[in-house]
Amino acid sequence: MPGAIYAEGLVKTFGDVRALDGVDLDVPEGTVLGLLGPNGAGKTTAVRVLTTLIKPNSGRAVVAGIDVLKNPTEVRRHIGLSGQFAAVDEYLTGRENLRMVGQLYQMSARDAKVRAGQLLERFNLGEAADRTAKTYSGGMRRRLDLAAALVVSPPVMFMDEPTTGLDPRNRQQLWEVIQELVAGGTTLLLTTQYLEEADHLAHDIAVVDHGRVIARGTSDRLKARTGGERVEVVVHEARDISVADGILRSFGKGGSKIEEHTRKVTVPVSGGAKLLAEVIRELDARGIEIDDIGLRRPTLDDVFISLTGHAAEVEEERANGAGKPGGKPDGTQEGEREGVREGEPEGERERRRPVVGGPTRQDEEAAT
Amino acid sequence: MSVIGNTALRTAAPRARGGVVQSARDSLVVAKRNLIRMARIPEVVIFGLIQPIMFVVLFSYVFGGSIAVGGSTDPSTYRQFLMAGIFAQTVTFATAGASAGIADDMHKGLIDRFRSLPMARGAVLTGRTLADLVQTALTLVVLAIVAVIVGWRIHEGILKALAGFALLLLLGYAFSWIGALIGLSVRTPEAATSGGLIWLFPLTFISNAFVPSDNMPTALRYIAEWNPFSATVQAARQLFGNLPVGYPVPSAWPMQHPVWASLIWSVVIIVAFRTLSVRKYRSATA
Ligand SMILES: Nc1ncnc2c1ncn2[C@@H]1O[C@H](COP(=O)(O)OP(=O)(O)OP(=O)(O)O)[C@@H](O)[C@H]1O
Ligand SMILES: [Mg+2]
């Protein structure tokens, strides 16, 4: 059964630009998909297609079980959208904005009023509720826009860079709101530039570049793909670097990396904390004084940069080559992306961090 | 407090009533929004009034006396003749309001918000044109008072005069649909403002609004007599009793049957431009 958000071979061109070049997505009900990608990757375009705002040149999309192209009106009853740029009426007050949106969602005037009051409180806009949005700060507008997307707590939500421009406290609060939403069963597609955010909120991540999904999986899987754990040591004395390097290499499973100016030695390992303890003992036994030591996992930033950097090179090669598979008109996917999905060790599933909703989610996972 | 996750509050997927009722309700919600905006930006309404008031005063006192209507150069005769023309020109300026307002909504991304909501198809545009209609009506009231002050009078009774104003408002409403299409078609609010206005000058001047058409060169006269705008001017003049004695009514059909011509033109414009605008709205991208 397709998920709450399902897309198959979406292609959208603007003149010569292939903003979407065969995008497939499948977001199971009640989960969060984080759409990551550099500027111009096609994230917003994907959101606009899925929320019925633009028609794709080809491909198919189903949201909340309804075909987006065949029945857009019905889809709109089941979605909430917070676009990349806050869409609020500056000359209306916060309250008036939300009441209008509620009524246009076909709520009664009374329900819309009650709901507006609740949301304004929830989004810390209570005090500014009766001021025109023109007087709001950027972050306040952003929150008003998000509140507007939540007026009916729709089963499927789309948020395009929801926390861009929010201060840390309000970002934290929005994360809580999102977790509440998802705990209540909402399916969410979220685009973001903050990898930390995707790491924190998303069950699954799809990395988009040049209008294609170039990698997908849980953040752990993506990190594992970029490279496993590393042991990182910073020695106190520069003269100890070579000895430390020798020790690390004896424990490691690959070449080491030395940064002279920071006196840092890094080596890929497998074996986790136990191995780390052994390394520490060995360094100690050899009398090497250390400033810092740790087991590092790749961050999503590493993933992002390695994936999109790599993708850019591949794209250039393709452009130079004759076949140019990047422009396949039927939107089928191939190559590296499949590799990501199939190349993952099965054990990854257990290691994934249940972010929201806890145990139920894992159960659902097991059922699928 | 769990406002968001609380399933009791899950009003998701509200039933759409569909049909005319939903259409009317959604349009009124949007119209109200636009009226609130107008009340909060009164400059727009005020500037919208200054121009026609200036025209009333300037045309009455500067041209009155030089322009012969029905063989008379009496300034007061021209003043009676002129007012319907200025009223009609004023209502057509609703076009600029609609085009600028809608272009602004597109520009600010509000149209995207509306288009993602389960609301009636044409409601954003209908709401806008209805709000413009209210504004136009207010403008006409003020303008009529100014006109009375400079000596304008009705001569066919209050009912016919009201019918005259109704035709003027209908024309204004029709033109705001032209404005809606312009607003959806241009890329910036600035372009919408001038794009909504410039073509109105030839349209309103190559007509019977300010001077009788019988003195115009043949080609222009022909245009003037079939100009949709002229039909309403002529109809209003007739209904206000402002046609001077001895004024030669042109033989063109719309001039002979101005009330019918005015109604037909306005309805045709509304149907045509509403259809085009709603289609454009549905495929609009900001
Ligand atoms: N309306 C449009 N007309 C022309 N080109 C467009 C349009 N919308 C998007 N594009 C192009 O499509 C590509 C994808 O744009 P999109 O807005 O989807 O990127 P994005 O991933 O959301 O980027 P960002 O992180 O900067 O928001 C870009 O090259 C952009 O220039
Ligand atoms: Mg974007």
Side-chain angles (χ1 to χ4, degrees), chain A residues 306-348:
Chain A
S306 87
L307 279 175
T308 57
H310 172 63
E313 287 158 25
V314 170
E315 205 57 38
E316 272 158 37
E317 281 164 25
R318 279 176 180 166
N320 296 336
K324 213 176 178 236
K328 283 185 76 166
D330 59 358
T332 48
Q333 301 281 310
E334 53 174 359
E336 49 183 343
R337 217 202 52 217
E338 295 299 327
V340 180
R341 273 194 289 192
E342 285 158 17
E344 294 306 326
E346 264 314 297
E348 284 297 328

mmCIF file of all heavy atoms in Angstrom, chain A residues 306-348:
data_model
loop_
_atom_site.group_PDB
_atom_site.id
_atom_site.type_symbol
_atom_site.label_atom_id
_atom_site.label_comp_id
_atom_site.label_asym_id
_atom_site.label_seq_id
_atom_site.Cartn_x
_atom_site.Cartn_y
_atom_site.Cartn_z
ATOM 1 N N SER A 306 29.203 15.243 1.173
ATOM 2 C CA SER A 306 29.797 14.189 0.348
ATOM 3 C C SER A 306 28.828 13.772 -0.760
ATOM 4 O O SER A 306 29.221 13.580 -1.899
ATOM 5 C CB SER A 306 30.208 13.002 1.217
ATOM 6 O OG SER A 306 29.139 12.116 1.387
ATOM 7 N N LEU A 307 27.545 13.703 -0.429
ATOM 8 C CA LEU A 307 26.578 13.270 -1.444
ATOM 9 C C LEU A 307 26.383 14.306 -2.530
ATOM 10 O O LEU A 307 26.447 14.006 -3.716
ATOM 11 C CB LEU A 307 25.220 13.001 -0.790
ATOM 12 C CG LEU A 307 25.054 11.660 -0.110
ATOM 13 C CD1 LEU A 307 23.718 11.616 0.587
ATOM 14 C CD2 LEU A 307 25.173 10.543 -1.134
ATOM 15 N N THR A 308 26.108 15.538 -2.140
ATOM 16 C CA THR A 308 25.798 16.528 -3.157
ATOM 17 C C THR A 308 27.043 16.941 -3.913
ATOM 18 O O THR A 308 26.986 17.233 -5.090
ATOM 19 C CB THR A 308 25.094 17.753 -2.563
ATOM 20 O OG1 THR A 308 25.933 18.306 -1.554
ATOM 21 C CG2 THR A 308 23.758 17.368 -1.958
ATOM 22 N N GLY A 309 28.186 16.936 -3.233
ATOM 23 C CA GLY A 309 29.440 17.229 -3.933
ATOM 24 C C GLY A 309 29.684 16.180 -5.002
ATOM 25 O O GLY A 309 29.944 16.488 -6.150
ATOM 26 N N HIS A 310 29.498 14.929 -4.610
ATOM 27 C CA HIS A 310 29.693 13.813 -5.521
ATOM 28 C C HIS A 310 28.712 13.900 -6.685
ATOM 29 O O HIS A 310 29.075 13.772 -7.844
ATOM 30 C CB HIS A 310 29.480 12.510 -4.749
ATOM 31 C CG HIS A 310 29.468 11.297 -5.608
ATOM 32 N ND1 HIS A 310 30.563 10.916 -6.335
ATOM 33 C CD2 HIS A 310 28.498 10.401 -5.867
ATOM 34 C CE1 HIS A 310 30.268 9.824 -7.015
ATOM 35 N NE2 HIS A 310 29.023 9.491 -6.743
ATOM 36 N N ALA A 311 27.485 14.179 -6.351
ATOM 37 C CA ALA A 311 26.453 14.241 -7.380
ATOM 38 C C ALA A 311 26.779 15.296 -8.427
ATOM 39 O O ALA A 311 26.571 15.099 -9.610
ATOM 40 C CB ALA A 311 25.103 14.542 -6.752
ATOM 41 N N ALA A 312 27.318 16.416 -7.952
ATOM 42 C CA ALA A 312 27.648 17.480 -8.892
ATOM 43 C C ALA A 312 28.672 16.990 -9.906
ATOM 44 O O ALA A 312 28.557 17.249 -11.100
ATOM 45 C CB ALA A 312 28.177 18.694 -8.134
ATOM 46 N N GLU A 313 29.684 16.220 -9.426
ATOM 47 C CA GLU A 313 30.703 15.714 -10.349
ATOM 48 C C GLU A 313 30.082 14.752 -11.365
ATOM 49 O O GLU A 313 30.324 14.849 -12.548
ATOM 50 C CB GLU A 313 31.783 14.955 -9.573
ATOM 51 C CG GLU A 313 32.705 15.855 -8.764
ATOM 52 C CD GLU A 313 33.368 15.091 -7.638
ATOM 53 O OE1 GLU A 313 33.497 13.842 -7.762
ATOM 54 O OE2 GLU A 313 33.726 15.741 -6.650
ATOM 55 N N VAL A 314 29.243 13.854 -10.832
ATOM 56 C CA VAL A 314 28.620 12.881 -11.719
ATOM 57 C C VAL A 314 27.832 13.601 -12.807
ATOM 58 O O VAL A 314 27.907 13.257 -13.977
ATOM 59 C CB VAL A 314 27.673 11.952 -10.919
ATOM 60 C CG1 VAL A 314 26.848 11.101 -11.867
ATOM 61 C CG2 VAL A 314 28.487 11.096 -9.980
ATOM 62 N N GLU A 315 27.110 14.628 -12.375
ATOM 63 C CA GLU A 315 26.294 15.381 -13.316
ATOM 64 C C GLU A 315 27.155 15.960 -14.435
ATOM 65 O O GLU A 315 26.797 15.913 -15.600
ATOM 66 C CB GLU A 315 25.567 16.494 -12.562
ATOM 67 C CG GLU A 315 24.295 16.949 -13.207
ATOM 68 C CD GLU A 315 23.321 15.794 -13.392
ATOM 69 O OE1 GLU A 315 23.230 14.915 -12.523
ATOM 70 O OE2 GLU A 315 22.667 15.772 -14.437
ATOM 71 N N GLU A 316 28.335 16.488 -14.067
ATOM 72 C CA GLU A 316 29.202 17.065 -15.073
ATOM 73 C C GLU A 316 29.675 16.001 -16.053
ATOM 74 O O GLU A 316 29.679 16.205 -17.255
ATOM 75 C CB GLU A 316 30.414 17.718 -14.410
ATOM 76 C CG GLU A 316 30.145 19.173 -14.033
ATOM 77 C CD GLU A 316 31.085 19.659 -12.949
ATOM 78 O OE1 GLU A 316 32.261 19.252 -12.973
ATOM 79 O OE2 GLU A 316 30.656 20.425 -12.084
ATOM 80 N N GLU A 317 30.063 14.852 -15.501
ATOM 81 C CA GLU A 317 30.524 13.774 -16.377
ATOM 82 C C GLU A 317 29.446 13.399 -17.368
ATOM 83 O O GLU A 317 29.679 13.226 -18.546
ATOM 84 C CB GLU A 317 30.885 12.534 -15.552
ATOM 85 C CG GLU A 317 32.241 12.644 -14.888
ATOM 86 C CD GLU A 317 32.388 11.596 -13.786
ATOM 87 O OE1 GLU A 317 31.704 10.562 -13.862
ATOM 88 O OE2 GLU A 317 33.172 11.837 -12.856
ATOM 89 N N ARG A 318 28.217 13.311 -16.834
ATOM 90 C CA ARG A 318 27.104 12.939 -17.692
ATOM 91 C C ARG A 318 26.901 13.964 -18.792
ATOM 92 O O ARG A 318 26.686 13.646 -19.935
ATOM 93 C CB ARG A 318 25.816 12.869 -16.878
ATOM 94 C CG ARG A 318 25.682 11.570 -16.137
ATOM 95 C CD ARG A 318 24.453 11.651 -15.303
ATOM 96 N NE ARG A 318 24.256 10.431 -14.555
ATOM 97 C CZ ARG A 318 23.415 10.319 -13.552
ATOM 98 N NH1 ARG A 318 22.702 11.369 -13.196
ATOM 99 N NH2 ARG A 318 23.273 9.185 -12.929
ATOM 100 N N ALA A 319 26.997 15.233 -18.392
ATOM 101 C CA ALA A 319 26.769 16.300 -19.359
ATOM 102 C C ALA A 319 27.800 16.223 -20.477
ATOM 103 O O ALA A 319 27.506 16.492 -21.635
ATOM 104 C CB ALA A 319 26.838 17.660 -18.660
ATOM 105 N N ASN A 320 29.048 15.818 -20.123
ATOM 106 C CA ASN A 320 30.086 15.726 -21.135
ATOM 107 C C ASN A 320 29.931 14.485 -22.003
ATOM 108 O O ASN A 320 30.238 14.487 -23.176
ATOM 109 C CB ASN A 320 31.466 15.697 -20.464
ATOM 110 C CG ASN A 320 31.739 17.007 -19.737
ATOM 111 O OD1 ASN A 320 31.147 18.033 -20.088
ATOM 112 N ND2 ASN A 320 32.595 16.969 -18.734
ATOM 113 N N GLY A 321 29.427 13.424 -21.369
ATOM 114 C CA GLY A 321 29.268 12.186 -22.112
ATOM 115 C C GLY A 321 28.142 12.260 -23.121
ATOM 116 O O GLY A 321 27.327 13.182 -23.113
ATOM 117 N N ALA A 322 28.081 11.256 -23.983
ATOM 118 C CA ALA A 322 27.083 11.297 -25.051
ATOM 119 C C ALA A 322 25.697 10.843 -24.590
ATOM 120 O O ALA A 322 24.694 11.413 -24.961
ATOM 121 C CB ALA A 322 27.538 10.406 -26.213
ATOM 122 N N GLY A 323 25.683 9.786 -23.760
ATOM 123 C CA GLY A 323 24.410 9.164 -23.397
ATOM 124 C C GLY A 323 23.493 10.054 -22.579
ATOM 125 O O GLY A 323 22.304 10.071 -22.787
ATOM 126 N N LYS A 324 24.077 10.814 -21.684
ATOM 127 C CA LYS A 324 23.333 11.730 -20.820
ATOM 128 C C LYS A 324 22.113 11.090 -20.168
ATOM 129 O O LYS A 324 20.967 11.492 -20.426
ATOM 130 C CB LYS A 324 22.910 12.957 -21.617
ATOM 131 C CG LYS A 324 22.909 14.179 -20.705
ATOM 132 C CD LYS A 324 22.595 15.448 -21.442
ATOM 133 C CE LYS A 324 22.566 16.611 -20.478
ATOM 134 N NZ LYS A 324 21.344 17.341 -20.505
ATOM 135 N N PRO A 325 22.358 10.099 -19.345
ATOM 136 C CA PRO A 325 21.225 9.427 -18.718
ATOM 137 C C PRO A 325 20.469 10.324 -17.749
ATOM 138 O O PRO A 325 19.356 10.022 -17.379
ATOM 139 C CB PRO A 325 21.861 8.251 -17.965
ATOM 140 C CG PRO A 325 23.292 8.636 -17.793
ATOM 141 C CD PRO A 325 23.643 9.562 -18.907
ATOM 142 N N GLY A 326 21.084 11.456 -17.357
ATOM 143 C CA GLY A 326 20.413 12.363 -16.417
ATOM 144 C C GLY A 326 19.100 12.884 -16.970
ATOM 145 O O GLY A 326 18.213 13.271 -16.250
ATOM 146 N N GLY A 327 18.982 12.894 -18.273
ATOM 147 C CA GLY A 327 17.791 13.499 -18.861
ATOM 148 C C GLY A 327 16.787 12.480 -19.361
ATOM 149 O O GLY A 327 16.036 12.764 -20.272
ATOM 150 N N LYS A 328 16.803 11.302 -18.792
ATOM 151 C CA LYS A 328 15.864 10.289 -19.263
ATOM 152 C C LYS A 328 14.418 10.757 -19.128
ATOM 153 O O LYS A 328 13.982 11.120 -18.045
ATOM 154 C CB LYS A 328 16.051 8.993 -18.468
ATOM 155 C CG LYS A 328 17.251 8.212 -18.910
ATOM 156 C CD LYS A 328 17.320 6.891 -18.197
ATOM 157 C CE LYS A 328 16.317 5.914 -18.756
ATOM 158 N NZ LYS A 328 16.581 4.547 -18.315
ATOM 159 N N PRO A 329 13.706 10.788 -20.216
ATOM 160 C CA PRO A 329 12.390 11.391 -20.178
ATOM 161 C C PRO A 329 11.356 10.592 -19.384
ATOM 162 O O PRO A 329 10.437 11.154 -18.835
ATOM 163 C CB PRO A 329 11.990 11.480 -21.652
ATOM 164 C CG PRO A 329 12.812 10.448 -22.336
ATOM 165 C CD PRO A 329 14.056 10.306 -21.543
ATOM 166 N N ASP A 330 11.509 9.308 -19.300
ATOM 167 C CA ASP A 330 10.479 8.533 -18.623
ATOM 168 C C ASP A 330 10.609 8.602 -17.107
ATOM 169 O O ASP A 330 9.784 8.067 -16.379
ATOM 170 C CB ASP A 330 10.517 7.078 -19.084
ATOM 171 C CG ASP A 330 11.862 6.430 -18.803
ATOM 172 O OD1 ASP A 330 12.757 7.123 -18.289
ATOM 173 O OD2 ASP A 330 12.028 5.252 -19.098
ATOM 174 N N GLY A 331 11.659 9.300 -16.639
ATOM 175 C CA GLY A 331 11.767 9.544 -15.207
ATOM 176 C C GLY A 331 12.178 8.332 -14.386
ATOM 177 O O GLY A 331 12.102 8.353 -13.171
ATOM 178 N N THR A 332 12.604 7.274 -15.021
ATOM 179 C CA THR A 332 13.025 6.137 -14.211
ATOM 180 C C THR A 332 14.331 6.440 -13.517
ATOM 181 O O THR A 332 15.130 7.222 -13.988
ATOM 182 C CB THR A 332 13.206 4.872 -15.071
ATOM 183 O OG1 THR A 332 13.989 5.232 -16.205
ATOM 184 C CG2 THR A 332 11.885 4.307 -15.496
ATOM 185 N N GLN A 333 14.503 5.801 -12.394
ATOM 186 C CA GLN A 333 15.692 6.038 -11.606
ATOM 187 C C GLN A 333 16.605 4.841 -11.750
ATOM 188 O O GLN A 333 16.162 3.737 -12.003
ATOM 189 C CB GLN A 333 15.307 6.196 -10.144
ATOM 190 C CG GLN A 333 14.350 7.323 -9.907
ATOM 191 C CD GLN A 333 15.065 8.653 -9.884
ATOM 192 O OE1 GLN A 333 16.055 8.812 -9.197
ATOM 193 N NE2 GLN A 333 14.600 9.593 -10.653
ATOM 194 N N GLU A 334 17.863 5.119 -11.551
ATOM 195 C CA GLU A 334 18.777 4.006 -11.679
ATOM 196 C C GLU A 334 20.058 4.333 -10.960
ATOM 197 O O GLU A 334 20.219 5.406 -10.417
ATOM 198 C CB GLU A 334 19.085 3.770 -13.152
ATOM 199 C CG GLU A 334 19.563 5.064 -13.778
ATOM 200 C CD GLU A 334 20.029 4.902 -15.184
ATOM 201 O OE1 GLU A 334 20.009 3.790 -15.691
ATOM 202 O OE2 GLU A 334 20.448 5.891 -15.753
ATOM 203 N N GLY A 335 20.974 3.389 -11.005
ATOM 204 C CA GLY A 335 22.317 3.652 -10.559
ATOM 205 C C GLY A 335 22.439 3.799 -9.061
ATOM 206 O O GLY A 335 21.883 3.030 -8.290
ATOM 207 N N GLU A 336 23.155 4.847 -8.685
ATOM 208 C CA GLU A 336 23.590 4.967 -7.315
ATOM 209 C C GLU A 336 22.455 4.921 -6.302
ATOM 210 O O GLU A 336 22.622 4.410 -5.216
ATOM 211 C CB GLU A 336 24.388 6.238 -7.141
ATOM 212 C CG GLU A 336 23.680 7.427 -7.732
ATOM 213 C CD GLU A 336 24.520 8.675 -7.606
ATOM 214 O OE1 GLU A 336 25.455 8.671 -6.805
ATOM 215 O OE2 GLU A 336 24.248 9.651 -8.289
ATOM 216 N N ARG A 337 21.306 5.463 -6.674
ATOM 217 C CA ARG A 337 20.260 5.532 -5.675
ATOM 218 C C ARG A 337 19.791 4.145 -5.261
ATOM 219 O O ARG A 337 19.602 3.856 -4.109
ATOM 220 C CB ARG A 337 19.080 6.338 -6.202
ATOM 221 C CG ARG A 337 18.465 7.153 -5.102
ATOM 222 C CD ARG A 337 17.071 7.503 -5.448
ATOM 223 N NE ARG A 337 16.373 6.300 -5.798
ATOM 224 C CZ ARG A 337 15.481 6.240 -6.738
ATOM 225 N NH1 ARG A 337 15.196 7.299 -7.433
ATOM 226 N NH2 ARG A 337 14.862 5.129 -6.981
ATOM 227 N N GLU A 338 19.621 3.307 -6.249
ATOM 228 C CA GLU A 338 19.238 1.935 -5.932
ATOM 229 C C GLU A 338 20.280 1.325 -5.016
ATOM 230 O O GLU A 338 19.971 0.639 -4.069
ATOM 231 C CB GLU A 338 19.156 1.088 -7.210
ATOM 232 C CG GLU A 338 18.054 1.532 -8.163
ATOM 233 C CD GLU A 338 16.686 1.441 -7.537
ATOM 234 O OE1 GLU A 338 16.474 0.531 -6.706
ATOM 235 O OE2 GLU A 338 15.831 2.270 -7.849
ATOM 236 N N GLY A 339 21.528 1.637 -5.351
ATOM 237 C CA GLY A 339 22.632 1.110 -4.573
ATOM 238 C C GLY A 339 22.495 1.460 -3.093
ATOM 239 O O GLY A 339 22.742 0.647 -2.225
ATOM 240 N N VAL A 340 22.036 2.666 -2.837
ATOM 241 C CA VAL A 340 21.900 3.098 -1.459
ATOM 242 C C VAL A 340 20.885 2.229 -0.745
ATOM 243 O O VAL A 340 21.095 1.774 0.350
ATOM 244 C CB VAL A 340 21.411 4.554 -1.384
ATOM 245 C CG1 VAL A 340 21.282 4.973 0.066
ATOM 246 C CG2 VAL A 340 22.364 5.453 -2.115
ATOM 247 N N ARG A 341 19.775 2.016 -1.433
ATOM 248 C CA ARG A 341 18.705 1.305 -0.747
ATOM 249 C C ARG A 341 19.054 -0.157 -0.514
ATOM 250 O O ARG A 341 18.798 -0.698 0.533
ATOM 251 C CB ARG A 341 17.427 1.400 -1.571
ATOM 252 C CG ARG A 341 16.664 2.664 -1.211
ATOM 253 C CD ARG A 341 15.272 2.593 -1.737
ATOM 254 N NE ARG A 341 15.295 2.706 -3.184
ATOM 255 C CZ ARG A 341 14.219 2.900 -3.896
ATOM 256 N NH1 ARG A 341 13.047 2.985 -3.334
ATOM 257 N NH2 ARG A 341 14.276 2.998 -5.206
ATOM 258 N N GLU A 342 19.664 -0.735 -1.524
ATOM 259 C CA GLU A 342 19.911 -2.164 -1.387
ATOM 260 C C GLU A 342 21.207 -2.476 -0.660
ATOM 261 O O GLU A 342 21.357 -3.519 -0.065
ATOM 262 C CB GLU A 342 19.932 -2.806 -2.777
ATOM 263 C CG GLU A 342 18.525 -2.919 -3.331
ATOM 264 C CD GLU A 342 18.525 -3.024 -4.842
ATOM 265 O OE1 GLU A 342 19.584 -3.321 -5.424
ATOM 266 O OE2 GLU A 342 17.469 -2.785 -5.424
ATOM 267 N N GLY A 343 22.125 -1.527 -0.731
ATOM 268 C CA GLY A 343 23.442 -1.776 -0.186
ATOM 269 C C GLY A 343 23.525 -1.675 1.338
ATOM 270 O O GLY A 343 24.571 -1.868 1.914
ATOM 271 N N GLU A 344 22.406 -1.345 1.967
ATOM 272 C CA GLU A 344 22.463 -1.154 3.406
ATOM 273 C C GLU A 344 22.372 -2.467 4.162
ATOM 274 O O GLU A 344 21.571 -3.328 3.826
ATOM 275 C CB GLU A 344 21.301 -0.259 3.854
ATOM 276 C CG GLU A 344 21.412 1.128 3.325
ATOM 277 C CD GLU A 344 22.740 1.789 3.648
ATOM 278 O OE1 GLU A 344 23.301 1.506 4.735
ATOM 279 O OE2 GLU A 344 23.227 2.533 2.813
ATOM 280 N N PRO A 345 23.176 -2.572 5.203
ATOM 281 C CA PRO A 345 23.067 -3.776 6.031
ATOM 282 C C PRO A 345 21.705 -3.827 6.718
ATOM 283 O O PRO A 345 21.172 -2.799 7.105
ATOM 284 C CB PRO A 345 24.190 -3.595 7.066
ATOM 285 C CG PRO A 345 24.532 -2.140 7.047
ATOM 286 C CD PRO A 345 24.196 -1.648 5.676
ATOM 287 N N GLU A 346 21.184 -5.022 6.864
ATOM 288 C CA GLU A 346 19.863 -5.174 7.463
ATOM 289 C C GLU A 346 19.802 -4.643 8.890
ATOM 290 O O GLU A 346 18.807 -4.122 9.344
ATOM 291 C CB GLU A 346 19.446 -6.658 7.465
ATOM 292 C CG GLU A 346 18.577 -7.058 6.297
ATOM 293 C CD GLU A 346 17.449 -6.069 6.041
ATOM 294 O OE1 GLU A 346 16.600 -5.911 6.929
ATOM 295 O OE2 GLU A 346 17.422 -5.458 4.958
ATOM 296 N N GLY A 347 20.927 -4.810 9.585
ATOM 297 C CA GLY A 347 20.969 -4.419 10.985
ATOM 298 C C GLY A 347 20.683 -2.935 11.231
ATOM 299 O O GLY A 347 20.349 -2.543 12.327
ATOM 300 N N GLU A 348 20.809 -2.154 10.192
ATOM 301 C CA GLU A 348 20.605 -0.719 10.340
ATOM 302 C C GLU A 348 19.263 -0.369 10.978
ATOM 303 O O GLU A 348 19.131 0.577 11.693
ATOM 304 C CB GLU A 348 20.688 -0.039 8.978
ATOM 305 C CG GLU A 348 22.071 0.104 8.458
ATOM 306 C CD GLU A 348 22.919 0.999 9.353
ATOM 307 O OE1 GLU A 348 22.391 1.942 9.974
ATOM 308 O OE2 GLU A 348 24.122 0.735 9.438
#
